[in-house]
Every structure is written in structure tokens, then in C-alpha cells.
Amino acid sequence: MKEPDDEDADGGKSDGSKSGGKQSRRASQSASTTKEDDKVLEDATDETFAEGEESYLEDDDSCGEHLEGSSSSLQDDFVESTGESQYMEMPGPVAEESEEEIKKISPNFFYDYMELVLMPFVTPDSNIPLDLLTLVHSFGYDCRRRANLQLPDSNTVMYIAGNQLILLNLKTKEQMYLRSSSGRGIGVIGVHPDKMYVAVAEKGVSPKIIIYEYPSLRPYRILRDGTDLAYAYVDFNNSGTLLASVGDNPDHTLTIWNWKEEQPILRTKAFSQEVFKVTFNPDNEAQLTTSGSGHIKFWEMALTFTGLKLQGSLGRFGKTATTDIEGYMELPDGKVLSGSEWGNMLLWEAGFIKVELCRSISKCCHQGPINQIMLDEGEVITIGSDGYIRIWDFETIDTADTIDESGLLEIEPINELQVDKNVKLFSMIKMNETGNNVWLAQDASGAIWKLDLSFSNITQDPECLFSFHSGAIEALAVSPLTYLMVTTSLDCSIRIYDFGSRTPLAHVKFKQGGTALAWVPRLVSYTGAQIIVGFEDGVVRILELYDPKGLTIFAGRKKFLDADLRLQYVIKPHTAHVTALAYDRDGEILATGSKDKTVFFFDVENNYKPIGYITTPGPVCQLIWSTIIHPESTLLILCENGYVLEAPYPTIKEDVEDQHVVSYEIKDMRTKCFHFSSVKSKILRLMEIEKRKKQKELKEKEKEERRKQLAAVTGEDGENESQGEEEEEEEEEEKPLPGIFIPSNPCPILCGFYSGPGKFWVSLGGYDSGFLYHCELPPYDKSSDITEKKDEPFDFRLIEDTEDNPIQTITFSANQYMMFCGMQDGAIRVYILSQNDLSLTNMENYWHFNIHDNNYGCIKGISTSFDDRFLVTTGADSNIFVFSIFSEFELRESIKAKVPSPRFGIETEPIPEDIFDPKAYSIENARRKREHDKLMKEVEEIKARKREQLRALRNQFQKLLKMNEELPKHMQLKRTDFDLDSKIRAEMNRKTVYEINQVEKELAWEKEKHQLGLRKLQHRFHDSLQSDAIVVHAIQSEHKISSYRLVKPSKYSRYKRASQSERKTSKLDRFDKEGPGIKDSQKDIGGDMNVPEESIIEKGKQFRPKTLSQIMVENEIEKTRKLVLKAERAQLKIQQRKKEWEELPIQRKFT
């Protein structure tokens, strides 16, 4: 391991910094004293937001936070960096403070790396060396972390690995490490445009941004209080004078820094949701852009009359669907080109989408999200999750505009490159090679690629420089013979490493992801060449590792692998994830556990012949066979839901043939069961009682001393006064003790190990974390119900600072002198024990250091080498770290693992048929299926025999009937005479009718339900029709004619308005037609007048107020009538004038 100032490290230090986010005292003190000696910092000033600042939830424009107490030189620096020379009027208080002389930080000032960096925590006065574990190599790569590939120079790549920043030399493959100063991890990194500085933005409470000088890697500047918990992205402006940072959850604070003076210029909240990225516009450094979850925002640093402000405008998606934006690019004229989740490009102008760019026939630019967009040599480059890199014409994109209402514009790429299949490109960075267009690409599938984008005749094919696991590493196993290790992950790969020489050797891929691993012990494979792997589909494969250089078929070849894997056995004992694999101490039995709540046993010596399986009350998480110190070989089974079982050694039945076994289930195994019941609240209560007892004893001692002092001074009066004080103190009420709490859902068991026969330790998560519990298995009781059992541990050990950070996995050194614990937050803790002390009687001194990512770097596997010289850890953050364990004897300079030589004739052996279908039958299901098929076959054979007998009887009966017909009629038998008993047929008919009635009764409710539904449908859609649509098709042509679908008239249709012919005559019309006397005659007659119902309705309509539509219609009718009347008058006047004009010459003639 190489580290800056490595020769000064750890000299004379006994105290470290606890990894729970606490920095070492020496580091914090030295940082402050060094700064006071070498520079004078500006006075702390109050940061106030401008009154007009925009709320990130409501408005679009946002004004940044203006630091009123800052020196005017900061704004002068900003003006110089942006090339503007505007006069800015400062407020009164700021102008007064700016007159004070404030010394700037010296350009030659540097921090001390060893005093700044986090050191391991060691229990005081424990004599444990700080360098107990030393990082020697990292095999992992967090390929799914955003912007986790930087290039400080053409020969070095830089990326984050947990709490380390790794600088990898591309030529020599050597690694250098920068450790986190907070111990909570690193959020993001950035490189200065001049490649002279590197920005490391960390995680933790009020994390720092540390600027390192490159290549010396000396801490140059430290930026503080830029966010609450973690940084999401950092970016230098094009001139390198300013740095923009944006925070992660929960604050998402955007800060512009004058980083050389360690001062923030502007600060504001970027957005309410996650922000992925922030960048300066390379052509206008006063403009910035941020993007993230469902948004993109455009910012501008403006000089206003109140000072420097940061104004933001939220992008409006309009008709386009809202999308997360990963990649974008600022154009020279201020427009922004961004990607989308569905693969198209969006061109933004003035905060709105100007046009959406797609390919021909509305095909997306990429099949999936566009993760990065860049402008290089006048061409636009897009990187997609589909593994394609496409080159687009800049002029076409810059001048693009919509041509129709769809808002889409179709363009085609100039060139494209598919890196490889199953590649998910996340980011890309250009290498500074003159004359070459070479790039390095970050592959989210677990690789770093070297790409040539020259697109010429001599363009090189994509080259995979490094290959890694993608996602959490599920399992780890170390060779019992040499410095080899194997890892597996849900990315379906199995990888072999030589951690002695720090070299990856080989990897193979399967159809399903790996979930469990074990190196076959030497009792089974003496050469240590076999590995057993469990997969997520329940399959277990035994692989053989060998050196292919020893094969005869490889002779004469120039290129060959250093190691290879060959499939030797494949079985499928489970139907879900295989979670545990374990060989017994004699290597005769293999046990496999799974999430399907079963444990399967196999006879190793008989080619892994299945012995049987037992069911467990919960998903299995760990299997541990007893060691030699136990009198009998037993299997400890840890279940996730709080159950612990102990199964005896299974009996191997050699006499029973496998074909006659109906099921593999072992029902008579005498399994002991322990159901864990939470005792943490009781422990805390006892600890509180003990604490109060000690406090009370301490107070009694103090009172006794005070009483003696008073007695010596005042005599008896003093004693009386002290007694009065004691009575007053006794009257004070004590606080109530903590209550007893038992969680409703059982806490998960994370790991455990045997401490002796029938005894074991377990570590739990959830509420019960913070302790190791010592438990004892109860005796076997066949009659007890394990679901009702509640067992409590008889002893415990308090684990400091693990209330929310339980132990995830445990392993021991070969001599059991050290216990290595992998924590949930990615830290390593080493306890120094007495030799062979599995009861943990002396567990006080420990060494603690954060190595994996603290948020999602839970340690999944931890193991020591066969000789206790190395420790290997794997985490959920895709990282694999190798440490050298402190030893009084120096390690040899060159250590290389020896790959087992191939067995004689291995190349000619047939490879067993593998299981590719994840739905394939397991061993038990296949056995049950075989038995079921066997029974069904027997039943079908019985049915066939019965049918054959019935067929023969029918044929014989038909012959009898035929013979009867050939007899004379007086001798023929009637058809009923052939019935043996008429009651039989009657009984059959009665049973048939009864069964039909029973079925009708069972289906009566369903029948009524569906009939009711049918009636409702008919009433709703069919009964309301007067006539349905009828279509008549022609036979010899395509003509057709159809009727209309008419709805029945409403019941109110008979009250419709009468027509002009049916309208009732008025009183005046009746008087003209009928004359007087009609009314009187009706009165005289005394007849009743039958007033029709229609007249009543018409009268009601007369007094009904008119609606607005009726009034408008009447107005239009009146206007039309007036226009027609006016036109008629004009026409009449024209005709009259014409007539007068024609008569005029006649009058002149006569005159």
C-alpha cells in the first residue's frame, strides 16, 4: 500500500478516532493549530438569505445566499474570473467590514495529511498497534456510483472505493490510497481543469471538501459547512477559480466557492428532490445548470444593487413527460441539451423545451437513459445505458426547431459505436493523448473500457482494461492451501483472485446469480482445487480450479489464462436462494441451506448422493458444523426469524436403493430448537440499576467524607446539619427505570458460532443489536411446539457503539487469538482474545476502522488467509479489500499463489450437463414428480385393464343380442329380460338426478348473480333501444347498408310543443269563427270544459323564465328580420327610382 507521507504514519500514536463519525483528537487539534500558525482566517460572518429569494417549492427564480460579511475581494475575484467589470454597490455594513484588512491564505500553505486523515480507533492502554491491519490492495470498483471515474493525468485513473480514494496507474497497475478524513465515506470527486488539483467531497455530519494538490497529494484547501450529510457533485469552472458543489439528501444545498480562500460566495437550495449534477457553462462562467430527479434548473450569477445573487429558473416540461435527467450539456449560445429516461434528447431554451430530438420513424436516440452528453471537436457525443456511443452533428442540433405540433425532430447520428453486449455506460472521460481520440468509459455492469472514437480505418476495437463485480458481493471463500480467493455476486459471475500477487486470475458467468460460496476442504480435495457455489435458483455447482498451462492441448499456444474453472458436479436441492454451504469436520457430509426453509444433506464420498433434507421454521442464513472439541458431529442451523436448530449427524442408508425412495424428507431426526426471545430491555434495565447503585455508593462516599470534614470543623452541630441535608436528598424522587419491551416481530439473526457443545453466540439486528448473546440449546422434546417456545440467552457481551450498527459477519484467526467482525456500516472491528477463548471472557480491547462505504457498504464476507497473514473483506458496495495482518515477522516481498495443476486426463473427461432453466425441478420435486408419474402410470394401467374387460363383456353381450334376434319370435327374449335387476338402473338414474340437483344447489347463488347481471346489462343497453343497428351486406360486391340504432323516446316526449297546425286558436279567432253566445250557451248548458293537458303545459311555458340561449336566439331572429325588412325597403326604393328615371325623358319630350 502506498500513501502520502507514509513514512511519518502512525509514529508514536496510541489514540485513534472512533469510526462512528468521530475524528481523532490529534487530527482536529493539529488542523486548527496549523492554520493559526500559518495564516489568519477571516472572521466568522452571519450568512443571511436575500429577502427576494425564491422558494424551491413554488417559484422559479431563486436568489442565492449573499455573505454580507465577506470581503469585497471575493467579488473582485468573481469579476476577474467571469471577465466582467461591472460596478457593484455594496451595502453599508459590508462596505465597512470590507475596509478591514483581511489576510489571504498563503499560496504555499498546505495541511498535514497524516494529522488530517482518519486514524483507526484503538482501545486506550491496550497495546494494540494502529497498523494492525494495513490495506495492500483493492479488487473492487463501485461502478454504479455517479461520476466515479476521473483522469488526473494520462497514466492514472482515480475512483472512490468506500472510505478510500484509489489512484490506479494504468501501466504498472500499482495503487495509491487517500483515506477519508471523516470516516463516513466519500461522496464525489472532481479534477481541476489544469489537472493540478483534485477535489474530494466527503460524507458525514457537516462534511468537508478537501482540495489535494496533484501529483504530490498534499492537502491544499479545506472547504467546510457546504452541506449537511453528503455531497452529490462538484465541478470547477473553466478557469479553475470557482468550485460549485451540491449536497445530497436532505438539504440539496448549492454552493459556489472561492476555493483558494476557503470561502463560499453564494449559497441556496438547489431543489426539493435529489440533485444528480451541477456544472458551469464553459462559455459563460456566470451560468450554471443543475439536474436531477424529475427536474432541470438553470442558474445565473448576477450583480444586483444589493450584491451578488444566484438566480434560478426551473425548466418547464410542458407537453413532454417529466423525466429524470442524468446527462446534459450547455451550448455556447446559452441553450442546454439534455437526455431523458426514454432515450431522446431535449433541447432547452429560455427554460422551455424547444424541440425533442429523435431518430427516423420516431425511433429513440438511445434505448434507455442518456447518462452523459459532451461536445468534443465540434461534435455532440451521447453515452447511453444501452451500451452505444453516438456522434451527432452540432449544427443540426443547435439550429433544430419544431416542424409540427408533435414537437419532435428526426435526426440521424454521424457515427455510432456499440461497446459490447450487456454493457451499461455510465460516464466517459477523454485521455490526453496527442493525435488520438481515446476515451475511458465507466461501465455500470462492472468494467472500465478503453475506447477509440476516431472512426477511421485504423480504429481499434473497444478494450476492457479492468473487470469487476457489479452490485453487492454476496459471498467470499479463501483457499485452505494458498493465497487464492473466490467471490460471487448476483451479476452471475464467479471470480478467482490471487491476493498474494494482487492479480485477478479468471472469471466465469452463469445464467443465475451466485449467493453462497465455500472452498472444498482438503479432506475432500487434497489439492484444494474444488469450489462449491450456491445460486439464486437453488442450484449447487461444484467447480474445479486448474492451471490450463499444464494441459497438453495448450502446448504451442502463445496466449493462455492463468487459471480456469471446470464444472464437475451440478445438483438442484432447493427452489430458492441457496444461503449457506458447509462440510462437516470429516468432509463426509455436505449441508446446504436455503431461503425455502430446508437443509439438504449429501454423501460426499458417494458422488454427492442425496441423503435427505429437514425443514426449518424459517429461512436459513448460516450453517456451522461442530469442531473436533465437540464429542459428536452436529450442525448448527441459524434461521433469519430468530430460530436456531441443532441437527445431529444424518444416517447414511447404504442398503436402500434410491429408486424406491418416495421422498427425501427426514422426519425422525432428533433436532433441538432454540427460539430467541428479546432480552435487551431487561439487560438495559439491569445496567441502569447497576449504574444507579454505583452512583449511590459514590454519593455515600462523598457524604461520608463531607461528614468527617464537618465533624472535624464544627463538632456535633455539623453532624446534625449534615443529617438534615441527607434527609432532604433522600426525599428526591428517582427517575423510573426503563420499561420491558419485546418487539412484535422477531429481530433477524445475522451471524453466530459455536462456543461449546450445545452452546453458541449470535448477533442480531434491529432492536436487539448492540450485544452478542450467549445461548444454550434445550434438550430435545418431541412433544413441544417450537412456534410457542420462548428461550432467553444466559449471558451477553456489550458491543460498544453498535446500537444501530450490528455485527454482520464474524470470523476467527487460525489460532483463535483474534476475532474479526464485519459491521453493517462497512467497518472492520478486531477483538483481541485469549487463545481458544470462545466464551469471550476477555473481550474488552479492540481495533476499529471504517473501510467500506458507510451508507450501503455492509460487509458481506470476511475471511483470513490460511496462514493468518492476510484478511479479505467484501461488501455490498462492490469493493474487495485485502489487508496484511500485523506480524513481528516481515512478509516476503514477492508472494504468489499457486494454482492447482490439472488432474491427469481432465481434458478428456465429459463435462456434466448443466442446469440452465431456473424453473427446473429440484431433487425433492423431481423425486415427487417421478413418484407421481409412477402412480399415474399404474392407475392408467388399471384403467386400461378394466376398459379391456368391459369391451370384452360388451362384445359378448352384442353376440347374445344377435343370437336372440335370429331365434323365432315366440322364442325371443324381451330387451328387459336381459336386465339382471331393474332396481340397479333405477338406482343409477336416481343417483344421477340427485347429483344434478346438488350441483344446481351449489351453483344457485352464482346462477342468480349472473342472471341479475345479465338483466341489468339488458336493461341498460338493450331495453332502451327502439331498434338496433342492422347491416345488410351484398353478396357479389363489397356494398353494405345499415340501419340506425334508435333509442326509445322518453316518457316526456308526448308533452312536446304543438305544431302550427295543432296549435290552439286564440280567443279572437274563435270569436270570429263561432260568433257571440257560445260562451253563454255553454254556461246555460252547464257543460264542463275539458282542458287538454297540452294547453296547461303551454301556459306553464309562457310564465317560465327564458334561458340565455333562448334570449340570444330570439335576438338573432329579430336582427335577421330587421335586416330582411331593410333590404326589402332598399330594393323597393331602387325600383321606384328606376321607374322615375325611365319616366323622366318622356316628360321632357312632352315639355
Side-chain angles (χ1 to χ4, degrees), residues 9 19 74 105 137 163 253 289 322 367 513 523 553 595 605 641 659 754 794 835 941 1004 1082 1084 1116 1118:
S19 66
L74 299 178
I105 303 175
H137 198 73
N163 271 267
T253 302
T289 307
T322 303
Q367 297 299 320
L523 291 171
I553 60 175
K595 286 188 175 181
E605 294 182 353
N641 58 348
Q659 297 180 354
Y754 263 123
F794 66 90
Q835 193 167 3
E941 291 177 353
Q1082 288 179 353
D1084 295 338
E1116 291 296 326
E1118 183 64 23

Side-chain angles (χ1 to χ4, degrees), residues 1003-1127:
L1003 299 178
W1005 188 86
E1006 289 288 334
K1007 177 182 177 182
E1008 184 65 23
K1009 174 186 174 183
H1010 290 93
Q1011 286 181 348
L1012 181 62
L1014 177 62
R1015 287 197 297 269
K1016 288 183 178 179
L1017 290 173
Q1018 288 178 341
H1019 176 73
R1020 174 68 179 83
F1021 296 104
H1022 187 266
D1023 294 347
S1024 61
L1025 296 179
Q1026 186 173 2
S1027 63
D1028 205 345
I1030 300 174
V1031 182
V1032 180
H1033 294 267
I1035 297 176
Q1036 298 181 353
S1037 66
E1038 296 182 355
H1039 296 87
K1040 61 181 179 179
I1041 186 171
S1042 62
S1043 63
Y1044 291 103
R1045 183 174 182 173
L1046 300 178
V1047 182
K1048 289 182 180 179
S1050 171
K1051 62 181 181 179
Y1052 300 105
S1053 60
R1054 60 194 182 95
Y1055 299 141
K1056 65 180 181 179
R1057 196 173 204 177
S1059 62
Q1060 187 70 25
S1061 60
E1062 298 174 352
R1063 186 173 298 171
K1064 186 179 179 180
T1065 57
S1066 64
K1067 184 177 180 181
L1068 182 60
D1069 294 339
R1070 289 199 307 271
F1071 184 78
D1072 293 338
K1073 290 181 181 180
E1074 299 174 359
I1078 298 300
K1079 185 175 181 180
D1080 297 336
S1081 63
Q1082 288 179 353
K1083 286 182 179 180
D1084 295 338
I1085 296 170
D1088 295 333
M1089 293 183 64
N1090 294 324
V1091 181
E1093 189 176 358
E1094 289 81 353
S1095 64
I1096 299 175
I1097 295 174
E1098 291 297 330
K1099 288 181 180 179
K1101 289 183 178 180
Q1102 292 178 3
F1103 297 100
R1104 186 180 302 165
K1106 295 182 178 179
T1107 62
L1108 180 61
S1109 58
Q1110 291 176 344
I1111 295 173
M1112 293 177 65
V1113 170
E1114 291 177 356
N1115 291 341
E1116 291 296 326
I1117 294 173
E1118 183 64 23
K1119 287 181 183 179
T1120 305
R1121 188 185 65 78
K1122 290 181 180 180
L1123 289 174
V1124 172
L1125 184 60
K1126 187 177 181 180

